[in-house]
Amino acid sequence: YPVVRPEGGWSLLVDVGALGLTGAEASDRLFERGRVAATPMTGWGSARSDGFLRLVFSNETEARLADLGARFDAAFR
């Protein structure tokens, strides 16, 4: 998935516009199909921000993040 690499931070932006989705659509689909909560970037920054989704992983263990790829696949494939 296309992402904006974090520079030492604790969140990750996913370019869901590249998948043909808005951040709000992707957020809903990811929660319903993949059981992952993520924030659409609607209204943050430029007009292009509507095509991004924000994942915050600051308080997650590696074990909880291990199957994130499979959850994304369940939501978007």
Side-chain angles (χ1 to χ4, degrees):
Y1 297 94
V3 299
V4 176
R5 291 184 58 159
E7 293 185 24
W10 39 264
S11 65
L12 179 72
L13 295 181
V14 181
D15 182 358
V16 293
L19 303 174
L21 299 168
T22 67
E25 292 168 334
S27 177
D28 289 345
R29 186 183 291 189
L30 190 57
F31 187 73
E32 290 169 7
R33 298 181 187 177
R35 306 314 296 166
V36 174
T39 306
M41 294 302 293
T42 306
W44 292 68
S46 72
R48 228 182 122 223
S49 64
D50 287 350
F52 287 87
L53 187 66
R54 181 176 177 231
L55 297 171
V56 177
F57 50 85
S58 62
N59 200 29
E60 298 296 336
T61 64
E62 283 186 46
R64 282 188 41 103
L65 297 172
D67 67 344
L68 192 57
R71 290 172 182 244
F72 262 73
D73 288 345
F76 300 124
R77 294 211 174 153

Short mmCIF file of all heavy atoms in Angstrom, two decimals:
data_model
loop_
_atom_site.label_atom_id
_atom_site.label_comp_id
_atom_site.label_asym_id
_atom_site.label_seq_id
_atom_site.Cartn_x
_atom_site.Cartn_y
_atom_site.Cartn_z
N TYR A 1 0.83 -1.18 0.00
CA TYR A 1 0.00 0.00 0.00
C TYR A 1 0.88 1.24 0.00
O TYR A 1 1.90 1.27 0.70
CB TYR A 1 -0.93 -0.02 1.21
CG TYR A 1 -1.87 -1.20 1.18
CD1 TYR A 1 -1.56 -2.38 1.82
CD2 TYR A 1 -3.06 -1.12 0.48
CE1 TYR A 1 -2.40 -3.47 1.76
CE2 TYR A 1 -3.92 -2.19 0.42
CZ TYR A 1 -3.60 -3.38 1.06
OH TYR A 1 -4.44 -4.45 0.99
N PRO A 2 0.51 2.27 -0.74
CA PRO A 2 1.32 3.49 -0.76
C PRO A 2 1.17 4.25 0.54
O PRO A 2 0.06 4.49 1.01
CB PRO A 2 0.75 4.28 -1.95
CG PRO A 2 -0.62 3.73 -2.19
CD PRO A 2 -0.62 2.33 -1.66
N VAL A 3 2.30 4.59 1.14
CA VAL A 3 2.28 5.28 2.43
C VAL A 3 3.22 6.48 2.40
O VAL A 3 4.12 6.58 1.56
CB VAL A 3 2.70 4.36 3.60
CG1 VAL A 3 1.76 3.19 3.73
CG2 VAL A 3 4.13 3.88 3.44
N VAL A 4 3.01 7.39 3.35
CA VAL A 4 3.96 8.46 3.64
C VAL A 4 4.76 7.97 4.83
O VAL A 4 4.20 7.76 5.91
CB VAL A 4 3.23 9.78 3.97
CG1 VAL A 4 4.22 10.85 4.36
CG2 VAL A 4 2.35 10.22 2.79
N ARG A 5 6.02 7.73 4.62
CA ARG A 5 6.86 7.17 5.69
C ARG A 5 6.96 8.14 6.86
O ARG A 5 7.20 9.33 6.67
CB ARG A 5 8.25 6.88 5.17
CG ARG A 5 8.27 5.72 4.19
CD ARG A 5 9.67 5.42 3.80
NE ARG A 5 10.41 5.10 5.02
CZ ARG A 5 11.53 4.40 5.03
NH1 ARG A 5 12.04 3.98 3.93
NH2 ARG A 5 12.13 4.16 6.17
N PRO A 6 6.79 7.64 8.07
CA PRO A 6 6.95 8.49 9.25
C PRO A 6 8.42 8.82 9.46
O PRO A 6 9.29 8.01 9.17
CB PRO A 6 6.40 7.64 10.40
CG PRO A 6 6.54 6.23 9.93
CD PRO A 6 6.42 6.26 8.43
N GLU A 7 8.67 10.00 9.93
CA GLU A 7 10.05 10.41 10.23
C GLU A 7 10.25 10.40 11.74
O GLU A 7 10.40 11.43 12.37
CB GLU A 7 10.31 11.78 9.63
CG GLU A 7 10.28 11.77 8.12
CD GLU A 7 10.66 13.10 7.51
OE1 GLU A 7 11.37 13.89 8.16
OE2 GLU A 7 10.24 13.33 6.39
N GLY A 8 10.19 9.21 12.30
CA GLY A 8 10.41 9.06 13.73
C GLY A 8 9.15 9.24 14.55
O GLY A 8 9.20 9.24 15.77
N GLY A 9 8.02 9.41 13.91
CA GLY A 9 6.76 9.61 14.62
C GLY A 9 6.08 8.32 14.99
O GLY A 9 6.65 7.24 14.88
N TRP A 10 4.85 8.43 15.38
CA TRP A 10 4.10 7.27 15.86
C TRP A 10 2.81 7.08 15.07
O TRP A 10 1.87 6.47 15.54
CB TRP A 10 3.82 7.37 17.34
CG TRP A 10 3.49 8.77 17.78
CD1 TRP A 10 4.36 9.68 18.30
CD2 TRP A 10 2.23 9.44 17.71
NE1 TRP A 10 3.72 10.87 18.56
CE2 TRP A 10 2.41 10.74 18.21
CE3 TRP A 10 0.97 9.07 17.27
CZ2 TRP A 10 1.37 11.66 18.28
CZ3 TRP A 10 -0.06 9.99 17.35
CH2 TRP A 10 0.15 11.27 17.85
N SER A 11 2.79 7.63 13.86
CA SER A 11 1.63 7.40 13.00
C SER A 11 2.10 7.24 11.57
O SER A 11 3.24 7.54 11.23
CB SER A 11 0.62 8.56 13.11
OG SER A 11 1.18 9.76 12.62
N LEU A 12 1.20 6.73 10.74
CA LEU A 12 1.51 6.45 9.34
C LEU A 12 0.34 6.91 8.50
O LEU A 12 -0.82 6.65 8.84
CB LEU A 12 1.71 4.94 9.18
CG LEU A 12 2.04 4.41 7.81
CD1 LEU A 12 3.48 4.78 7.43
CD2 LEU A 12 1.88 2.90 7.78
N LEU A 13 0.62 7.59 7.39
CA LEU A 13 -0.43 7.99 6.46
C LEU A 13 -0.43 7.02 5.28
O LEU A 13 0.61 6.74 4.69
CB LEU A 13 -0.19 9.41 5.95
CG LEU A 13 -0.27 10.53 6.97
CD1 LEU A 13 -0.03 11.88 6.28
CD2 LEU A 13 -1.62 10.54 7.67
N VAL A 14 -1.63 6.54 4.96
CA VAL A 14 -1.81 5.63 3.82
C VAL A 14 -2.53 6.40 2.73
O VAL A 14 -3.57 7.01 2.98
CB VAL A 14 -2.62 4.38 4.23
CG1 VAL A 14 -2.78 3.44 3.05
CG2 VAL A 14 -1.99 3.68 5.41
N ASP A 15 -1.98 6.37 1.52
CA ASP A 15 -2.58 7.06 0.38
C ASP A 15 -3.67 6.18 -0.22
O ASP A 15 -3.44 5.41 -1.14
CB ASP A 15 -1.51 7.37 -0.66
CG ASP A 15 -2.03 8.14 -1.86
OD1 ASP A 15 -3.25 8.39 -1.93
OD2 ASP A 15 -1.22 8.48 -2.74
N VAL A 16 -4.88 6.29 0.33
CA VAL A 16 -6.00 5.46 -0.15
C VAL A 16 -6.61 6.05 -1.42
O VAL A 16 -7.37 5.37 -2.11
CB VAL A 16 -7.07 5.25 0.94
CG1 VAL A 16 -6.50 4.40 2.07
CG2 VAL A 16 -7.60 6.56 1.47
N GLY A 17 -6.27 7.30 -1.74
CA GLY A 17 -6.69 7.88 -3.00
C GLY A 17 -6.15 7.07 -4.17
O GLY A 17 -6.81 6.93 -5.20
N ALA A 18 -4.96 6.50 -3.99
CA ALA A 18 -4.36 5.63 -5.01
C ALA A 18 -5.17 4.36 -5.22
O ALA A 18 -5.06 3.70 -6.26
CB ALA A 18 -2.93 5.29 -4.63
N LEU A 19 -6.01 4.01 -4.24
CA LEU A 19 -6.89 2.84 -4.34
C LEU A 19 -8.27 3.22 -4.86
O LEU A 19 -9.16 2.38 -4.93
CB LEU A 19 -7.03 2.16 -2.96
CG LEU A 19 -5.74 1.72 -2.28
CD1 LEU A 19 -6.04 1.21 -0.88
CD2 LEU A 19 -5.03 0.67 -3.10
N GLY A 20 -8.45 4.51 -5.16
CA GLY A 20 -9.74 4.98 -5.65
C GLY A 20 -10.74 5.26 -4.54
O GLY A 20 -11.95 5.27 -4.79
N LEU A 21 -10.26 5.46 -3.32
CA LEU A 21 -11.14 5.68 -2.17
C LEU A 21 -10.84 7.02 -1.51
O LEU A 21 -9.72 7.52 -1.59
CB LEU A 21 -10.94 4.57 -1.13
CG LEU A 21 -11.24 3.16 -1.57
CD1 LEU A 21 -10.70 2.17 -0.54
CD2 LEU A 21 -12.72 2.97 -1.78
N THR A 22 -11.81 7.57 -0.82
CA THR A 22 -11.56 8.70 0.06
C THR A 22 -11.10 8.14 1.41
O THR A 22 -11.31 6.96 1.70
CB THR A 22 -12.82 9.56 0.28
OG1 THR A 22 -13.78 8.79 1.02
CG2 THR A 22 -13.41 10.05 -1.03
N GLY A 23 -10.54 9.01 2.23
CA GLY A 23 -10.14 8.57 3.56
C GLY A 23 -11.32 8.08 4.37
O GLY A 23 -11.21 7.09 5.10
N ALA A 24 -12.47 8.75 4.24
CA ALA A 24 -13.68 8.33 4.98
C ALA A 24 -14.15 6.96 4.52
O ALA A 24 -14.50 6.11 5.34
CB ALA A 24 -14.77 9.37 4.82
N GLU A 25 -14.17 6.73 3.21
CA GLU A 25 -14.58 5.41 2.69
C GLU A 25 -13.63 4.32 3.15
O GLU A 25 -14.07 3.24 3.58
CB GLU A 25 -14.61 5.43 1.16
CG GLU A 25 -15.68 6.30 0.57
CD GLU A 25 -15.51 6.54 -0.91
OE1 GLU A 25 -14.36 6.49 -1.43
OE2 GLU A 25 -16.53 6.81 -1.57
N ALA A 26 -12.34 4.61 3.09
CA ALA A 26 -11.34 3.62 3.50
C ALA A 26 -11.43 3.34 5.00
O ALA A 26 -11.31 2.19 5.43
CB ALA A 26 -9.94 4.11 3.14
N SER A 27 -11.67 4.37 5.79
CA SER A 27 -11.79 4.20 7.24
C SER A 27 -12.96 3.28 7.57
O SER A 27 -12.83 2.36 8.38
CB SER A 27 -11.98 5.56 7.90
OG SER A 27 -12.17 5.42 9.29
N ASP A 28 -14.10 3.53 6.94
CA ASP A 28 -15.28 2.67 7.17
C ASP A 28 -15.01 1.23 6.75
O ASP A 28 -15.32 0.29 7.49
CB ASP A 28 -16.49 3.21 6.39
CG ASP A 28 -17.05 4.49 6.97
OD1 ASP A 28 -16.70 4.84 8.12
OD2 ASP A 28 -17.82 5.17 6.25
N ARG A 29 -14.45 1.06 5.58
CA ARG A 29 -14.19 -0.29 5.06
C ARG A 29 -13.17 -1.02 5.92
O ARG A 29 -13.34 -2.21 6.22
CB ARG A 29 -13.69 -0.19 3.62
CG ARG A 29 -13.56 -1.56 2.98
CD ARG A 29 -12.99 -1.48 1.60
NE ARG A 29 -13.92 -0.87 0.66
CZ ARG A 29 -13.70 -0.85 -0.65
NH1 ARG A 29 -12.61 -1.39 -1.16
NH2 ARG A 29 -14.57 -0.29 -1.46
N LEU A 30 -12.13 -0.33 6.34
CA LEU A 30 -11.10 -0.96 7.17
C LEU A 30 -11.66 -1.39 8.51
O LEU A 30 -11.34 -2.47 9.01
CB LEU A 30 -9.93 0.01 7.35
CG LEU A 30 -8.66 -0.54 7.97
CD1 LEU A 30 -8.10 -1.71 7.17
CD2 LEU A 30 -7.61 0.56 8.05
N PHE A 31 -12.55 -0.59 9.08
CA PHE A 31 -13.15 -0.96 10.36
C PHE A 31 -14.12 -2.11 10.20
O PHE A 31 -14.10 -3.08 10.97
CB PHE A 31 -13.86 0.24 10.99
CG PHE A 31 -14.34 -0.05 12.38
CD1 PHE A 31 -13.46 -0.14 13.43
CD2 PHE A 31 -15.69 -0.25 12.63
CE1 PHE A 31 -13.89 -0.44 14.72
CE2 PHE A 31 -16.13 -0.54 13.90
CZ PHE A 31 -15.24 -0.63 14.95
N GLU A 32 -14.97 -2.05 9.18
CA GLU A 32 -15.99 -3.09 8.99
C GLU A 32 -15.40 -4.42 8.57
O GLU A 32 -15.81 -5.46 9.07
CB GLU A 32 -17.00 -2.63 7.93
CG GLU A 32 -17.88 -1.49 8.41
CD GLU A 32 -18.70 -0.86 7.29
OE1 GLU A 32 -18.69 -1.38 6.15
OE2 GLU A 32 -19.34 0.17 7.56
N ARG A 33 -14.46 -4.40 7.64
CA ARG A 33 -13.92 -5.65 7.09
C ARG A 33 -12.63 -6.13 7.75
O ARG A 33 -12.33 -7.32 7.72
CB ARG A 33 -13.67 -5.48 5.60
CG ARG A 33 -14.92 -5.18 4.81
CD ARG A 33 -14.59 -5.06 3.35
NE ARG A 33 -15.73 -4.61 2.58
CZ ARG A 33 -15.70 -4.37 1.28
NH1 ARG A 33 -14.57 -4.56 0.61
NH2 ARG A 33 -16.77 -3.95 0.65
N GLY A 34 -11.84 -5.18 8.30
CA GLY A 34 -10.55 -5.55 8.86
C GLY A 34 -10.44 -5.35 10.36
O GLY A 34 -9.44 -5.71 10.96
N ARG A 35 -11.50 -4.76 10.96
CA ARG A 35 -11.52 -4.49 12.42
C ARG A 35 -10.33 -3.65 12.86
O ARG A 35 -9.72 -3.88 13.90
CB ARG A 35 -11.60 -5.79 13.22
CG ARG A 35 -12.73 -6.73 12.85
CD ARG A 35 -14.09 -6.11 12.70
NE ARG A 35 -14.59 -5.52 13.95
CZ ARG A 35 -15.63 -4.69 13.99
NH1 ARG A 35 -16.26 -4.34 12.90
NH2 ARG A 35 -16.03 -4.20 15.13
N VAL A 36 -10.00 -2.63 12.03
CA VAL A 36 -8.92 -1.69 12.34
C VAL A 36 -9.52 -0.29 12.36
O VAL A 36 -10.19 0.12 11.41
CB VAL A 36 -7.80 -1.76 11.29
CG1 VAL A 36 -6.74 -0.69 11.55
CG2 VAL A 36 -7.16 -3.13 11.27
N ALA A 37 -9.26 0.45 13.43
CA ALA A 37 -9.72 1.84 13.51
C ALA A 37 -8.62 2.75 12.97
O ALA A 37 -7.47 2.65 13.38
CB ALA A 37 -10.03 2.20 14.96
N ALA A 38 -9.00 3.60 12.02
CA ALA A 38 -8.07 4.56 11.42
C ALA A 38 -8.83 5.86 11.15
O ALA A 38 -10.04 5.84 10.94
CB ALA A 38 -7.48 4.00 10.14
N THR A 39 -8.12 6.96 11.15
CA THR A 39 -8.72 8.28 11.00
C THR A 39 -8.60 8.79 9.58
O THR A 39 -7.48 8.87 9.05
CB THR A 39 -8.01 9.28 11.94
OG1 THR A 39 -8.03 8.77 13.26
CG2 THR A 39 -8.67 10.64 11.90
N PRO A 40 -9.72 9.15 8.95
CA PRO A 40 -9.61 9.80 7.64
C PRO A 40 -9.01 11.19 7.83
O PRO A 40 -9.28 11.85 8.83
CB PRO A 40 -11.05 9.88 7.14
CG PRO A 40 -11.91 9.73 8.33
CD PRO A 40 -11.11 9.01 9.38
N MET A 41 -8.20 11.64 6.89
CA MET A 41 -7.52 12.93 7.02
C MET A 41 -8.33 14.08 6.41
O MET A 41 -7.79 15.15 6.15
CB MET A 41 -6.13 12.84 6.38
CG MET A 41 -5.19 11.90 7.12
SD MET A 41 -4.96 12.34 8.87
CE MET A 41 -4.10 13.88 8.72
N THR A 42 -9.61 13.88 6.22
CA THR A 42 -10.49 14.90 5.67
C THR A 42 -10.39 16.19 6.50
O THR A 42 -10.51 16.16 7.72
CB THR A 42 -11.95 14.40 5.68
OG1 THR A 42 -12.00 13.15 5.00
CG2 THR A 42 -12.88 15.39 5.02
N GLY A 43 -10.12 17.29 5.82
CA GLY A 43 -10.03 18.58 6.50
C GLY A 43 -8.68 18.89 7.12
O GLY A 43 -8.50 19.95 7.69
N TRP A 44 -7.72 18.00 7.02
CA TRP A 44 -6.39 18.23 7.56
C TRP A 44 -5.47 18.60 6.40
O TRP A 44 -5.33 17.83 5.46
CB TRP A 44 -5.83 16.96 8.21
CG TRP A 44 -6.53 16.55 9.44
CD1 TRP A 44 -7.80 16.09 9.55
CD2 TRP A 44 -5.99 16.55 10.76
NE1 TRP A 44 -8.09 15.79 10.84
CE2 TRP A 44 -6.99 16.07 11.62
CE3 TRP A 44 -4.76 16.90 11.29
CZ2 TRP A 44 -6.80 15.94 12.97
CZ3 TRP A 44 -4.58 16.75 12.64
CH2 TRP A 44 -5.59 16.29 13.47
N GLY A 45 -4.86 19.72 6.44
CA GLY A 45 -3.89 20.09 5.41
C GLY A 45 -4.54 20.52 4.11
O GLY A 45 -5.54 21.22 4.10
N SER A 46 -4.00 20.05 3.02
CA SER A 46 -4.43 20.47 1.69
C SER A 46 -5.70 19.74 1.25
O SER A 46 -6.18 18.82 1.92
CB SER A 46 -3.32 20.21 0.68
OG SER A 46 -3.21 18.82 0.43
N ALA A 47 -6.21 20.13 0.09
CA ALA A 47 -7.39 19.47 -0.47
C ALA A 47 -7.09 18.01 -0.77
O ALA A 47 -7.99 17.17 -0.76
CB ALA A 47 -7.83 20.19 -1.75
N ARG A 48 -5.84 17.68 -1.00
CA ARG A 48 -5.44 16.30 -1.28
C ARG A 48 -5.54 15.39 -0.06
O ARG A 48 -5.50 14.17 -0.17
CB ARG A 48 -4.00 16.31 -1.78
CG ARG A 48 -3.83 15.48 -3.01
CD ARG A 48 -2.41 15.44 -3.49
NE ARG A 48 -2.08 14.02 -3.49
CZ ARG A 48 -0.96 13.51 -3.07
NH1 ARG A 48 -0.01 14.27 -2.62
NH2 ARG A 48 -0.75 12.22 -3.11
N SER A 49 -5.66 15.98 1.12
CA SER A 49 -5.68 15.18 2.35
C SER A 49 -6.88 14.25 2.43
O SER A 49 -6.85 13.26 3.16
CB SER A 49 -5.62 16.08 3.59
OG SER A 49 -6.78 16.89 3.66
N ASP A 50 -7.93 14.52 1.67
CA ASP A 50 -9.11 13.65 1.67
C ASP A 50 -8.79 12.23 1.20
O ASP A 50 -9.53 11.31 1.49
CB ASP A 50 -10.22 14.22 0.77
CG ASP A 50 -10.90 15.43 1.39
OD1 ASP A 50 -10.65 15.71 2.58
OD2 ASP A 50 -11.67 16.08 0.67
N GLY A 51 -7.69 12.06 0.51
CA GLY A 51 -7.30 10.75 0.00
C GLY A 51 -6.34 9.99 0.90
O GLY A 51 -5.74 9.02 0.47
N PHE A 52 -6.24 10.43 2.16
CA PHE A 52 -5.32 9.77 3.09
C PHE A 52 -6.03 9.26 4.33
O PHE A 52 -7.05 9.80 4.75
CB PHE A 52 -4.19 10.73 3.52
CG PHE A 52 -3.19 10.98 2.44
CD1 PHE A 52 -3.41 11.98 1.52
CD2 PHE A 52 -2.05 10.21 2.35
CE1 PHE A 52 -2.49 12.23 0.50
CE2 PHE A 52 -1.13 10.44 1.35
CZ PHE A 52 -1.35 11.45 0.42
N LEU A 53 -5.45 8.25 4.91
CA LEU A 53 -5.94 7.61 6.12
C LEU A 53 -4.78 7.58 7.10
O LEU A 53 -3.64 7.29 6.72
CB LEU A 53 -6.36 6.18 5.75
CG LEU A 53 -7.05 5.32 6.76
CD1 LEU A 53 -8.43 5.90 7.06
CD2 LEU A 53 -7.20 3.92 6.19
N ARG A 54 -5.05 7.87 8.37
CA ARG A 54 -3.98 7.93 9.39
C ARG A 54 -4.12 6.76 10.36
O ARG A 54 -5.17 6.54 10.95
CB ARG A 54 -4.08 9.24 10.15
CG ARG A 54 -3.03 9.41 11.21
CD ARG A 54 -3.16 10.79 11.82
NE ARG A 54 -2.22 11.00 12.88
CZ ARG A 54 -2.55 11.44 14.08
NH1 ARG A 54 -3.80 11.74 14.36
NH2 ARG A 54 -1.64 11.61 15.00
N LEU A 55 -3.02 6.04 10.52
CA LEU A 55 -2.93 4.96 11.50
C LEU A 55 -2.02 5.41 12.63
O LEU A 55 -0.90 5.85 12.37
CB LEU A 55 -2.34 3.69 10.88
CG LEU A 55 -3.12 3.05 9.76
CD1 LEU A 55 -2.28 1.96 9.12
CD2 LEU A 55 -4.41 2.48 10.27
N VAL A 56 -2.49 5.31 13.84
CA VAL A 56 -1.67 5.65 15.01
C VAL A 56 -1.30 4.34 15.71
O VAL A 56 -2.17 3.57 16.08
CB VAL A 56 -2.43 6.59 15.97
CG1 VAL A 56 -1.60 6.87 17.20
CG2 VAL A 56 -2.80 7.88 15.26
N PHE A 57 -0.01 4.13 15.88
CA PHE A 57 0.44 2.86 16.47
C PHE A 57 1.32 3.07 17.69
O PHE A 57 2.05 2.18 18.10
CB PHE A 57 1.18 2.02 15.42
CG PHE A 57 2.24 2.76 14.67
CD1 PHE A 57 3.52 2.88 15.17
CD2 PHE A 57 1.95 3.35 13.45
CE1 PHE A 57 4.50 3.56 14.48
CE2 PHE A 57 2.92 4.03 12.74
CZ PHE A 57 4.20 4.14 13.25
N SER A 58 1.21 4.22 18.32
CA SER A 58 2.10 4.55 19.43
C SER A 58 1.93 3.65 20.65
O SER A 58 2.86 3.45 21.40
CB SER A 58 1.88 6.00 19.86
OG SER A 58 0.56 6.20 20.31
N ASN A 59 0.75 3.12 20.85
CA ASN A 59 0.50 2.33 22.05
C ASN A 59 0.18 0.87 21.72
O ASN A 59 -0.45 0.19 22.50
CB ASN A 59 -0.66 2.96 22.84
CG ASN A 59 -0.67 2.53 24.28
OD1 ASN A 59 0.36 2.25 24.86
ND2 ASN A 59 -1.85 2.48 24.86
N GLU A 60 0.63 0.42 20.54
CA GLU A 60 0.34 -0.94 20.12
C GLU A 60 1.58 -1.82 20.24
O GLU A 60 2.68 -1.39 19.93
CB GLU A 60 -0.15 -0.96 18.67
CG GLU A 60 -1.43 -0.20 18.44
CD GLU A 60 -2.63 -0.78 19.17
OE1 GLU A 60 -2.63 -1.98 19.50
OE2 GLU A 60 -3.57 -0.01 19.42
N THR A 61 1.37 -3.04 20.67
CA THR A 61 2.47 -4.00 20.73
C THR A 61 2.72 -4.57 19.34
O THR A 61 1.85 -4.54 18.47
CB THR A 61 2.15 -5.16 21.69
OG1 THR A 61 1.02 -5.88 21.16
CG2 THR A 61 1.83 -4.64 23.09
N GLU A 62 3.90 -5.12 19.13
CA GLU A 62 4.21 -5.76 17.85
C GLU A 62 3.22 -6.89 17.57
O GLU A 62 2.83 -7.09 16.41
CB GLU A 62 5.63 -6.31 17.85
CG GLU A 62 6.67 -5.24 17.66
CD GLU A 62 8.06 -5.83 17.52
OE1 GLU A 62 8.23 -6.82 16.76
OE2 GLU A 62 8.98 -5.29 18.16
N ALA A 63 2.82 -7.61 18.59
CA ALA A 63 1.89 -8.71 18.40
C ALA A 63 0.56 -8.23 17.83
O ALA A 63 -0.04 -8.89 16.98
CB ALA A 63 1.67 -9.44 19.72
N ARG A 64 0.08 -7.07 18.28
CA ARG A 64 -1.19 -6.53 17.77
C ARG A 64 -1.07 -5.99 16.36
O ARG A 64 -2.05 -5.89 15.65
CB ARG A 64 -1.72 -5.46 18.70
CG ARG A 64 -2.37 -6.05 19.94
CD ARG A 64 -3.07 -5.03 20.81
NE ARG A 64 -3.84 -4.03 20.13
CZ ARG A 64 -5.17 -4.02 20.02
NH1 ARG A 64 -5.87 -5.02 20.50
NH2 ARG A 64 -5.79 -3.03 19.42
N LEU A 65 0.15 -5.64 15.94
CA LEU A 65 0.36 -5.12 14.60
C LEU A 65 0.75 -6.20 13.60
O LEU A 65 0.76 -5.95 12.39
CB LEU A 65 1.45 -4.04 14.63
CG LEU A 65 1.12 -2.79 15.45
CD1 LEU A 65 2.35 -1.90 15.55
CD2 LEU A 65 -0.06 -2.05 14.86
N ALA A 66 1.06 -7.39 14.06
CA ALA A 66 1.60 -8.45 13.21
C ALA A 66 0.68 -8.82 12.05
O ALA A 66 1.16 -9.11 10.96
CB ALA A 66 1.90 -9.69 14.05
N ASP A 67 -0.62 -8.79 12.25
CA ASP A 67 -1.53 -9.20 11.18
C ASP A 67 -2.20 -8.01 10.48
O ASP A 67 -3.19 -8.16 9.79
CB ASP A 67 -2.59 -10.16 11.70
CG ASP A 67 -3.55 -9.52 12.68
OD1 ASP A 67 -3.25 -8.43 13.20
OD2 ASP A 67 -4.62 -10.11 12.93
N LEU A 68 -1.61 -6.83 10.61
CA LEU A 68 -2.19 -5.63 10.01
C LEU A 68 -2.28 -5.76 8.49
O LEU A 68 -3.25 -5.34 7.88
CB LEU A 68 -1.38 -4.40 10.42
CG LEU A 68 -2.00 -3.05 10.11
CD1 LEU A 68 -3.37 -2.92 10.77
CD2 LEU A 68 -1.09 -1.93 10.59
N GLY A 69 -1.27 -6.34 7.88
CA GLY A 69 -1.29 -6.54 6.42
C GLY A 69 -2.48 -7.39 5.99
O GLY A 69 -3.16 -7.07 5.01
N ALA A 70 -2.73 -8.46 6.69
CA ALA A 70 -3.87 -9.33 6.37
C ALA A 70 -5.18 -8.61 6.57
O ALA A 70 -6.13 -8.80 5.80
CB ALA A 70 -3.82 -10.59 7.23
N ARG A 71 -5.26 -7.76 7.57
CA ARG A 71 -6.48 -6.99 7.81
C ARG A 71 -6.71 -5.97 6.69
O ARG A 71 -7.84 -5.75 6.27
CB ARG A 71 -6.41 -6.30 9.17
CG ARG A 71 -6.50 -7.26 10.33
CD ARG A 71 -6.23 -6.53 11.63
NE ARG A 71 -6.26 -7.42 12.75
CZ ARG A 71 -7.16 -7.34 13.73
NH1 ARG A 71 -8.08 -6.41 13.72
NH2 ARG A 71 -7.12 -8.19 14.73
N PHE A 72 -5.63 -5.35 6.23
CA PHE A 72 -5.74 -4.44 5.09
C PHE A 72 -6.20 -5.19 3.85
O PHE A 72 -7.07 -4.72 3.11
CB PHE A 72 -4.41 -3.74 4.83
CG PHE A 72 -4.32 -2.36 5.42
CD1 PHE A 72 -4.18 -2.18 6.78
CD2 PHE A 72 -4.36 -1.25 4.60
CE1 PHE A 72 -4.10 -0.93 7.33
CE2 PHE A 72 -4.28 0.02 5.14
CZ PHE A 72 -4.14 0.19 6.51
N ASP A 73 -5.63 -6.36 3.63
CA ASP A 73 -6.03 -7.16 2.48
C ASP A 73 -7.51 -7.52 2.55
O ASP A 73 -8.23 -7.47 1.55
CB ASP A 73 -5.20 -8.43 2.38
CG ASP A 73 -3.76 -8.16 1.95
OD1 ASP A 73 -3.49 -7.05 1.45
OD2 ASP A 73 -2.93 -9.07 2.11
N ALA A 74 -8.00 -7.87 3.73
CA ALA A 74 -9.41 -8.21 3.90
C ALA A 74 -10.30 -7.01 3.60
O ALA A 74 -11.40 -7.17 3.07
CB ALA A 74 -9.66 -8.71 5.33
N ALA A 75 -9.82 -5.82 3.90
CA ALA A 75 -10.63 -4.62 3.69
C ALA A 75 -10.59 -4.12 2.26
O ALA A 75 -11.60 -3.63 1.75
CB ALA A 75 -10.15 -3.52 4.63
N PHE A 76 -9.45 -4.25 1.60
CA PHE A 76 -9.27 -3.57 0.31
C PHE A 76 -9.10 -4.46 -0.90
O PHE A 76 -9.01 -3.97 -2.01
CB PHE A 76 -8.09 -2.61 0.40
CG PHE A 76 -8.27 -1.55 1.45
CD1 PHE A 76 -7.33 -1.38 2.46
CD2 PHE A 76 -9.38 -0.73 1.47
CE1 PHE A 76 -7.49 -0.41 3.42
CE2 PHE A 76 -9.56 0.24 2.45
CZ PHE A 76 -8.61 0.40 3.43
N ARG A 77 -9.05 -5.74 -0.73
CA ARG A 77 -8.89 -6.61 -1.91
C ARG A 77 -10.14 -7.37 -2.19
O ARG A 77 -11.00 -7.54 -1.45
CB ARG A 77 -7.74 -7.59 -1.69
CG ARG A 77 -6.44 -6.84 -1.63
CD ARG A 77 -5.32 -7.62 -2.14
NE ARG A 77 -4.14 -6.77 -2.19
CZ ARG A 77 -2.93 -7.21 -2.10
NH1 ARG A 77 -2.71 -8.47 -1.96
NH2 ARG A 77 -1.92 -6.38 -2.17
#
